[in-house]
Amino acid sequence: MPAVSKGDGMRGLAVFISDIRNCKSKEAEVKRINKELANIRSKFKGDKALDGYSKKKYVCKLLFIFLLGHDIDFGHMEAVNLLSSNKYTEKQIGYLFISVLVNSNSDLISLINNGIKNDLASRNPTFMNLALHCIANVGSREMAEAFASQIPSILVAGDTMDSVKQSAALCLLRLNRTSPDLVPMGEWTARVVHLLNDQHLGVVTAATSLITTLAQKSPEDFRTSISLAVARLSRIVTSASIDLQDYTYYFVAAPWLSVKLLRLLQCYPPPEDAALRSRLTECLETILNKAQEPPKSKKVQHSNAKNAVLFEAIALIIHHDSEPTLLVRACNQLGQFLQHRETNLRYLALESMCTLASSEFSHEAVKTHIDTVINALKTERDVSVRQRAVDLLYAMCDRSNSKQIVAEMLSYLENADYSIREEIVLKVAILAEKYAVDYTWYVDTILNLIRIAGDHVSEEVWYRVIQIVINQDDVQGYAAKTVFEALQAPACHENLLKVGGYILGEFGNLIAGDPRSSPLVQFNLLHSKFHLCSVPTRALLLSAYIKFINLFPEVKPTIQDVLRSDSQLRNADVELQQRAIEYLRLSCIASTDILATVLEEMPPFPERESSILAKLKKKKGPGKVPDMDEARWNVNGNTEHSENTEPTNKAPSHPFTDLLNMNSSPAAGASLLVDVLSDLSSPAPTPTTGPGPGPTDVCEEHFSRFVCKNNGVIFENQLLQIGLKSEYRQNLGRIYVFYGNKTSSQFLSFSSSVTSSDTLKTQLNVHTMPVDPTVEGGAQLQQILNIECLSDFSDTPVLNVQFRYGGTLQNIAVKLPVMLNKFFQPTEMTSEDFFQRWKQLGVPQQEVQTIFKAQHPMDTDVTNAKVQKTASLYLKPLCGGGVGLILKCCNVSGFTTRETLNRSFNGSLNL
Amino acid sequence: MIKAILIFNNHGKPRLSKFYEHYNEDTEQQIIRETFHLVSKRDENVCNFLEGGMLIGGSDYKLIYRHYATLYFVFCVDSSESELGILDLIQVFVETLDKCFENVCELDLIFHVDKVHNILAEMVMGGMVLETNMNEIIMQVDAQNKMEKSEAGIAGAPARAVSAVKNMNLPEMPRNINIGDISIKVPNLPSFK
């Protein structure tokens, strides 16, 4: 007998559905639906009280309309009435409507909660189940608040029906996911663990799910579950299938529960207890053995269920990573699956092998399957499977097979699906770098990559090849020769042109001896592609040209002609125009020496984690990229790079900034200073009067760098770099703020402003020039701040930057390094005057003295200069209004310095 | 955790949608369309797993699906679920529907949405698997039907008259759409509109 008799429908509902299905057009359908909605609405609003049957019918209609994708904004109240009914049928439809349609922030929640509360208290298992389902399906915070404390007691009560226990376990699991803070841990936890011994396998399954989630959060509390889980698993695995009656699925004993138990065990390391451990190993071996037995049924369900358990067992073996024999057996089993006729098994085998490849015990065993995997990449019809094959090749790659794997991936790339090309490009780039025995191979590989899939080569990839070429002396000549040859192709990708422009600009001289690649030939080759490129590439090429002028004086007139042409000097693009003008002037007026200094070869990049790897991690999400073994990663340990690879780095502004910075302090002096000051500031009494440092999330990471420097980078994250250039004269200052967009997409609604505390506003005038609301990818925006110091101040203004990136609003606050010492001017006085003033400062609060050991040899001049410029900043809390400072610094004995700082009301240093 | 369960036909018409995480109405419809787009373009004998669409959470989620005659059954799950296990679950779901409706067909899902939801609720609750044993599920459904019958009384009378009328009103209703022997990869039966 069928469980649902087909005749029991509701007539009105059936008619309505048939009407909809007979509609010839979308418009007719919408019309019919609107008519029905109006009808239901009037019925619900009507004076006549509806009976349960009609309400149920209308609610069903609403459900159907909702499924068709129409918004339902009424009927909730009727649904709540239905669920409060005593009739099962009405209650059920009420709950159904609520769990399908009500979201967590409905204002009806309190009414619904009331109904649920009554049902939970009803002791009718069917009603309780409905209520628990509703809580689990809606899972809102209000519900968690109302019921989270009640459900554990239902779960562990001795007299609760099995089906209710099942629901209660999962309901609790759901609440623990949505509002973990509201689910109280307590004495029930120990009793939950004992549900693993329950008679009813459904209850055990639900409890295992619950315990797995709880154990991930607090492993210690649930450690006792290990032994129970192993015991249970062992009983299932070794039982004859008839023992478990209904839970045998196509001749496999309780597959679902086995999977859940194996998942639970993956929350813990291998059991320490030897007996327990050997029992678990026995289970795992039995599961592996069963895979070799002839199938008990030809049905695919049988093998599915069996393999579900097998894959989970293998996952546990890999997780434990401690039994070499099991690992190798697992690997062999997966190897069999790689050639299985079931596509699903091939897919899963490739996926599991990926994790297996990272185990030291089985890495070699995985490698033996390389040919099968490569074959899968070539012949598999399903893109999901091919993608897993790519992942596995990436995971199994090491020095011995890297050339083969990279070559195979490159050849696959030629006809790979567009959706996975970028990922393959990243993987090839990483493998090529990581396992490069010689860098010529690396350069060849990357250039091939650009040739085959130039559009999918992200900036990180071509930045990286340039970094490596710059850091590796021995590959520079080869790289120059190779890019030169690659550029000969009639059509080459813009990325290739970027790499080519950069490398020839740096190392073109290495191949200039050959008449086939003489300076002029190189230049003409690059310039022949110039007009086809986008603006950033042209800008990069202009930089390459000016580098050419330095490398090859003989082509100077030719290049100057190009720079002088109207299409450059009057280019509509500001960046190109500026570069052309500046480069032209530079080449005209600078002497050879200056040119050589300014246009010197790029220094090696500092070592960092590969940005390509970072990008791949970001793309795949953490944990999805098998972490590179440090030991295996060292091939290029010396070639890591920095983020400063934007083409604009080659713009003359960069070397100029360095020149301007020449009078700034040497690094050693700066670090000495910071040490001195941090020592000084900590014992100083903290004033209670001084205004606080501002909101806590204000970035002041690089703030201290600017104490005695005026230029540099004040803030940097993945998106944005903020650089400052500042100049001060008397009581006036001007700061140029440079906002660099590090991404490849636009920042929208960009705005920046400077905020000061109320006190500070009266002391310091900051005038901000407006900025452009969009910042293009890779572009830099400049903003000017004019500052006027009205009186002495101790607070710091904050620069607030706001912009929209990829739809999310970014808010950045940075402390602006405008300090009192920026407005200091020294004053000359005779020693008599000085000591006269010095002696006037006799009041005890006016003196603070600290003696400490210097960490570096003292250079009196440097230290004096630094301390004068900076000390007052750190001592500002000591100063009241209208304060100056007298500072004495004497070199007492060798490395001990004494500094005496006095507080006075007549500054010896002019403010 | 199961994030969503979707059933739609070969033309992308949704026949059941159950989300265990809250999305607004529009997004739900978009997810259904996106999922249909991803699943329907796949060949018959490729694997039953693929990475989820962007709307549902991208590569952190997997779509596990089966295609029976005119209907796609798609479960969207995260990495904490066993792929083959979910595949079995779909099978249990369909077998259960088949038992409850006697040779289930697409029309049964259309006209008995509430029943389908109830059967599903016996298997999956709040995104977690509640019960996998078909006999247990059917027992629960039977118990519910008994209660329904006993409550029917006078109010049920009009309902009983429906069966005759219902069939009259449906000239296009195909007879005996059999979903085959439910082993996967049913031979391509003629689909209906």
Side-chain angles (χ1 to χ4, degrees):
Chain A
M1 193 197 90
V4 177
S5 51
K6 290 194 180 187
D8 280 2
M10 284 164 280
R11 180 172 175 232
L13 177 65
V15 170
F16 171 61
I17 295 175
S18 317
D19 279 0
I20 295 287
R21 288 170 56 78
N22 286 332
C23 285
K24 295 275 182 290
S25 66
K26 190 80 193 163
E27 290 72 34
E29 186 185 306
V30 172
K31 209 172 148 198
R32 179 68 185 87
I33 284 171
N34 284 338
K35 185 181 151 202
E36 193 63 37
L37 284 174
N39 171 37
I40 299 172
R41 210 185 290 259
S42 72
K43 283 280 176 4
F44 280 166
K45 282 215 179 111
D47 302 330
K48 206 163 64 102
L50 293 172
D51 61 6
Y53 169 77
S54 317
K55 274 193 205 155
K56 184 180 155 188
K57 181 176 76 186
Y58 293 131
V59 168
C60 276
K61 283 183 180 175
L62 289 180
L63 276 177
F64 183 76
I65 296 171
F66 179 75
L67 181 67
L68 290 177
H70 298 266
D71 213 1
I72 301 294
D73 53 2
F74 67 99
H76 300 76
M77 199 58 216
E78 283 67 26
V80 173
N81 286 339
L82 281 174
L83 78 79
S84 315
S85 154
N86 279 326
K87 276 194 177 164
Y88 168 72
T89 38
E90 291 172 14
K91 189 181 278 301
Q92 190 196 37
I93 206 88
Y95 271 121
L96 177 59
F97 184 91
I98 296 298
S99 55
V100 172
L101 269 167
V102 170
N103 57 52
S104 36
N105 47 22
S106 165
D107 43 356
L108 286 172
I109 285 282
S110 61
L111 285 173
I112 299 170
N113 278 358
N114 208 27
I116 293 177
K117 203 167 160 190
N118 291 336
D119 284 336
L120 282 184
S122 70
R123 309 198 62 75
N124 174 338
T126 316
F127 288 5
M128 287 171 89
N129 271 339
L130 283 175
L132 289 168
H133 272 109
C134 183
I135 301 174
N137 285 338
V138 176
S140 73
R141 205 162 166 86
E142 290 88 345
M143 285 193 179
E145 275 165 6
F147 304 111
S149 52
Q150 197 180 345
I151 295 168
S153 55
I154 296 177
L155 177 59
V156 296
D159 58 347
T160 309
M161 297 264 299
D162 287 338
S163 66
V164 179
K165 269 190 198 166
Q166 265 173 288
S167 306
L170 293 186
C171 186
L172 198 57
L173 169 51
R174 170 70 175 193
L175 293 184
N176 186 58
R177 284 212 178 119
T178 52
S179 331
D181 52 314
L182 293 178
V183 178
M185 289 293 180
E187 53 93 34
W188 62 272
T189 49
R191 297 173 67 183
V192 164
V193 172
H194 283 280
L195 287 179
L196 290 177
N197 277 334
D198 200 281
Q199 293 284 319
H200 190 275
L201 287 195
V203 174
V204 184
T205 311
T208 312
S209 298
L210 173 64
I211 294 169
T212 305
T213 305
L214 295 174
Q216 278 161 359
K217 285 181 181 155
S218 43
E220 279 315 308
D221 294 346
F222 294 90
R223 199 165 275 283
T224 47
S225 64
I226 304 176
S227 58
L228 291 175
V230 171
R232 190 94 221 190
L233 183 68
S234 156
R235 264 179 285 160
I236 297 170
V237 170
T238 54
S239 74
S241 51
I242 40 163
D243 294 356
L244 297 159
Q245 316 114 13
D246 290 346
Y247 283 86
T248 298
Y249 175 82
Y250 289 92
F251 306 101
V252 184
W256 193 272
L257 178 56
S258 310
V259 166
K260 286 282 168 197
L261 289 169
L262 289 162
R263 279 273 155 136
L264 171 59
L265 290 170
Q266 284 172 54
C267 300
Y268 292 98
E272 277 151 25
D273 176 55
L276 196 60
R277 192 168 172 154
S278 71
R279 196 165 177 196
L280 179 58
T281 308
E282 202 179 306
C283 283
L284 295 171
E285 274 170 352
T286 314
I287 295 172
L288 286 170
N289 290 340
K290 278 189 182 169
Q292 300 301 331
E293 287 169 12
K296 289 185 181 134
S297 155
K298 286 248 174 349
K299 294 240 178 181
V300 69
Q301 281 78 16
H302 171 68
S303 74
N304 262 358
K306 203 162 96 173
N307 293 328
V309 178
L310 178 61
F311 274 109
E312 217 50 65
I314 291 175
L316 181 63
I317 293 170
I318 298 171
H319 170 79
H320 282 172
D321 197 13
S322 59
E323 301 270 353
T325 46
L326 282 180
L327 280 164
V328 170
R329 280 193 69 185
C331 185
N332 292 340
Q333 183 61 54
L334 293 177
Q336 285 184 18
F337 283 151
L338 284 183
Q339 315 209 28
H340 202 279
R341 60 188 168 79
E342 263 299 310
T343 319
N344 288 339
L345 292 182
R346 294 198 301 273
Y347 175 97
L348 293 173
L350 288 167
E351 193 178 56
S352 299
M353 256 198 190
C354 255
T355 43
L356 203 53
S358 56
S359 162
E360 56 169 319
F361 298 117
S362 49
H363 184 74
E364 287 304 316
V366 171
K367 271 168 60 185
T368 58
H369 299 288
I370 183 165
D371 293 328
T372 321
V373 182
I374 288 173
N375 195 38
L377 190 63
K378 285 179 179 159
T379 58
E380 204 58 71
R381 292 176 53 222
D382 184 351
V383 57
S384 316
V385 184
R386 288 199 298 270
Q387 188 160 5
R388 292 288 92 82
V390 172
D391 287 348
L392 178 54
L393 282 179
Y394 178 74
M396 67 159 66
C397 191
D398 65 13
R399 197 85 52 88
S400 67
N401 54 18
S402 57
K403 286 209 171 162
Q404 186 188 6
I405 286 178
V406 166
E408 291 296 345
M409 282 168 105
L410 270 177
S411 73
Y412 171 60
L413 190 57
E414 305 221 25
N415 29 27
D417 310 72
Y418 285 97
S419 53
I420 57 174
R421 280 197 180 184
E422 189 182 354
E423 200 186 309
I424 299 178
V425 166
L426 289 175
K427 286 185 166 156
V428 170
I430 291 170
L431 292 179
E433 178 188 336
K434 193 172 146 193
Y435 299 115
V437 184
D438 59 310
Y439 285 101
T440 54
W441 174 71
Y442 170 75
V443 170
D444 286 342
T445 305
I446 300 292
L447 290 182
N448 260 331
L449 210 51
I450 295 176
R451 185 179 53 78
I452 295 170
D455 287 340
H456 301 272
V457 172
S458 56
E459 293 188 324
E460 285 84 353
V461 174
W462 75 261
Y463 288 174
R464 189 76 181 141
V465 67
I466 284 171
Q467 285 156 15
I468 287 179
V469 169
I470 284 177
N471 288 13
Q472 300 295 320
D473 297 342
D474 48 345
V475 77
Q476 289 161 355
Y478 180 80
K481 183 164 160 285
T482 321
V483 290
F484 178 78
E485 279 161 10
L487 283 170
Q488 306 282 348
C492 48
H493 195 271
E494 197 164 324
N495 280 334
L496 180 64
L497 201 56
K498 288 178 184 167
V499 177
Y502 204 113
I503 289 184
L504 290 182
E506 294 292 329
F507 309 114
N509 54 331
L510 300 177
I511 56 168
D514 188 327
R516 283 167 301 175
S517 52
S518 71
L520 196 60
V521 175
Q522 288 184 36
F523 171 73
N524 286 337
L525 180 61
L526 284 181
H527 199 56
S528 66
K529 325 248 179 203
F530 184 88
H531 304 282
L532 302 169
C533 313
S534 63
V535 168
T537 311
R538 288 193 203 185
L540 187 146
L541 285 179
L542 287 179
S543 298
Y545 296 170
I546 186 76
K547 290 241 168 185
F548 270 4
I549 290 184
N550 177 43
L551 292 178
F552 319 116
E554 64 267 35
V555 294
K556 185 169 164 179
T558 322
I559 292 176
Q560 279 178 335
D561 283 346
V562 169
L563 292 175
R564 202 176 285 128
S565 69
D566 278 355
S567 61
Q568 310 300 348
L569 277 192
R570 298 193 182 165
N571 196 297
D573 187 87
V574 179
E575 177 68 29
L576 291 183
Q577 196 185 77
Q578 187 178 358
R579 284 192 189 210
I581 292 171
E582 287 177 0
Y583 290 158
L584 183 62
R585 290 303 294 159
L586 183 65
S587 69
C588 293
I589 58 173
S591 71
T592 334
D593 285 351
I594 292 181
L595 263 187
T597 316
V598 172
L599 301 170
E600 205 180 357
E601 195 178 294
M602 291 294 280
F605 289 92
E607 295 173 18
R608 284 277 177 86
E609 186 201 23
S610 163
S611 58
I612 308 180
L613 197 60
K615 171 147 181 158
L616 186 66
K617 277 182 186 159
K618 202 165 122 198
K619 203 169 147 55
K620 296 292 278 180
K624 287 232 169 175
V625 180
D627 260 334
M628 295 299 176
D629 200 43
E630 282 306 321
R632 291 202 261 148
W633 201 200
N634 62 6
V635 194
N636 278 305
N638 54 340
T639 62
E640 311 293 284
H641 71 112
S642 86
E643 69 280 16
N644 287 332
T645 49
E646 296 98 293
T648 48
N649 265 10
K650 284 182 62 183
S653 69
H654 192 259
F656 284 163
T657 323
D658 283 341
L659 290 179
L660 290 173
N661 274 347
M662 264 173 19
N663 54 357
S664 72
S665 62
S671 71
L672 163 73
L673 248 177
V674 174
D675 288 342
V676 166
L677 293 165
S678 58
D679 268 0
L680 244 186
S681 56
S682 48
T686 350
T688 46
T689 50
T696 44
D697 55 345
V698 173
C699 169
E700 42 186 311
E701 195 188 343
H702 303 305
F703 185 79
S704 55
R705 275 194 208 164
F706 286 83
V707 169
C708 53
K709 259 177 74 175
N710 284 337
N711 305 328
V713 173
I714 181 80
F715 174 85
E716 178 147 25
N717 63 12
Q718 293 98 336
L719 305 176
L720 179 73
Q721 186 188 48
I722 304 181
L724 297 182
K725 261 167 98 174
S726 35
E727 28 187 71
Y728 295 93
R729 188 166 304 142
Q730 295 181 336
N731 67 332
L732 297 178
R734 175 173 289 178
I735 302 184
Y736 299 87
V737 189
F738 298 92
Y739 303 97
N741 180 346
K742 291 170 66 179
T743 68
S744 49
S745 44
Q746 279 187 333
F747 292 162
L748 296 172
S749 334
F750 188 92
S751 73
S752 70
S753 61
V754 176
T755 51
S756 315
S757 64
D758 289 340
T759 353
L760 188 61
K761 273 179 193 151
T762 62
Q763 299 159 341
L764 197 70
N765 252 341
V766 182
H767 180 70
T768 325
M769 299 289 179
V771 285
D772 219 15
T774 51
V775 187
E776 298 294 333
Q780 211 179 45
L781 185 73
Q782 179 187 326
Q783 186 181 30
I784 301 176
L785 310 178
N786 287 322
I787 299 167
E788 187 185 4
C789 174
L790 302 173
S791 77
D792 67 293
F793 61 94
S794 55
D795 210 352
T796 329
V798 174
L799 178 69
N800 292 301
V801 182
Q802 259 196 356
F803 58 91
R804 213 166 255 293
Y805 170 69
T808 47
L809 194 64
Q810 308 279 339
N811 255 322
I812 293 164
V814 184
K815 251 185 164 182
L816 263 189
V818 179
M819 309 118 178
L820 193 55
N821 65 318
K822 301 284 183 198
F823 303 97
F824 279 1
Q825 278 186 302
T827 197
E828 296 275 330
M829 65 177 79
T830 61
S831 59
E832 281 163 32
D833 287 347
F834 177 80
F835 280 108
Q836 198 182 350
R837 290 201 184 192
W838 183 256
K839 281 172 189 147
Q840 284 167 358
L841 307 171
V843 188
Q845 294 134 333
Q846 287 179 332
E847 183 167 322
V848 175
Q849 183 171 325
T850 315
I851 297 173
F852 53 89
K853 196 162 168 99
Q855 292 173 353
H856 305 273
M858 302 280 292
D859 175 336
T860 326
D861 291 341
V862 171
T863 316
N864 262 351
K866 295 304 164 198
V867 171
Q868 266 188 2
K869 272 180 105 173
T870 59
S872 60
L873 173 81
Y874 283 85
L875 289 166
K876 70 189 184 223
L878 296 173
C879 313
V883 183
L885 284 169
I886 291 182
L887 182 148
K888 190 166 82 180
C889 185
C890 34
N891 203 335
V892 176
S893 62
F895 291 107
T896 311
T897 308
R898 198 172 87 191
E899 294 187 14
T900 312
L901 297 148
N902 278 26
R903 172 180 164 182
S904 84
F905 291 90
N906 291 307
S908 314
L909 301 164
N910 282 352
L911 291 175
Chain B
M1 176 183 167
I2 301 169
K3 209 170 181 185
I5 294 172
L6 307 172
I7 304 176
F8 40 74
N9 70 7
N10 289 346
H11 306 284
K13 277 264 179 212
R15 292 307 176 209
L16 176 98
S17 71
K18 179 79 191 156
F19 287 84
Y20 294 101
E21 214 154 89
H22 181 69
Y23 295 97
N24 67 35
E25 166 80 28
D26 278 347
T27 321
E28 286 187 5
Q29 291 297 323
Q30 278 171 20
I31 289 174
I32 295 173
R33 275 199 294 277
E34 187 189 43
T35 310
F36 170 71
H37 179 73
L38 284 172
V39 168
S40 62
K41 67 177 181 195
R42 292 171 64 83
D43 291 341
E44 272 303 315
N45 47 357
V46 298
C47 75
N48 300 73
F49 323 121
L50 69 157
E51 286 186 356
M54 286 325 290
L55 289 171
I56 198 107
S59 56
D60 292 344
Y61 290 87
K62 277 212 176 92
L63 300 177
I64 297 171
Y65 75 100
R66 272 196 158 162
H67 190 196
Y68 295 96
T70 64
L71 292 174
Y72 286 97
F73 286 69
V74 187
F75 280 44
C76 174
V77 302
D78 68 9
S79 61
S80 69
E81 301 289 347
S82 150
E83 289 94 342
L84 289 174
I86 294 288
L87 216 48
D88 283 342
L89 191 70
I90 299 179
Q91 180 68 18
V92 171
F93 183 34
V94 174
E95 282 186 33
T96 309
L97 288 176
D98 199 49
K99 280 230 168 95
C100 292
F101 287 105
E102 259 187 356
N103 284 341
V104 66
C105 70
E106 193 179 337
L107 284 178
D108 292 318
L109 305 193
I110 298 170
F111 285 100
H112 301 280
V113 174
D114 53 331
K115 293 259 169 17
V116 178
H117 268 289
N118 291 341
I119 293 168
L120 183 60
E122 293 301 325
M123 300 180 63
V124 180
M125 171 175 164
M128 277 88 47
V129 178
L130 178 66
E131 184 57 74
T132 53
N133 173 4
M134 194 159 70
N135 295 338
E136 190 90 6
I137 299 165
I138 289 176
M139 213 169 76
Q140 296 286 345
V141 175
D142 276 338
Q144 289 169 13
N145 285 327
K146 273 198 196 113
M147 286 168 70
E148 233 168 271
K149 289 246 168 62
S150 69
E151 279 177 4
I154 301 162
R160 282 198 289 279
V162 164
S163 52
V165 183
K166 175 183 140 187
N167 292 342
M168 246 162 46
N169 282 348
L170 295 170
E172 92 283 29
M173 182 182 194
R175 293 278 156 192
N176 295 329
I177 296 284
N178 196 326
I179 59 165
D181 67 350
I182 315 266
S183 60
I184 63 161
K185 275 108 206 190
V186 174
N188 278 332
L189 293 175
S191 64
F192 58 86
K193 196 186 131 213

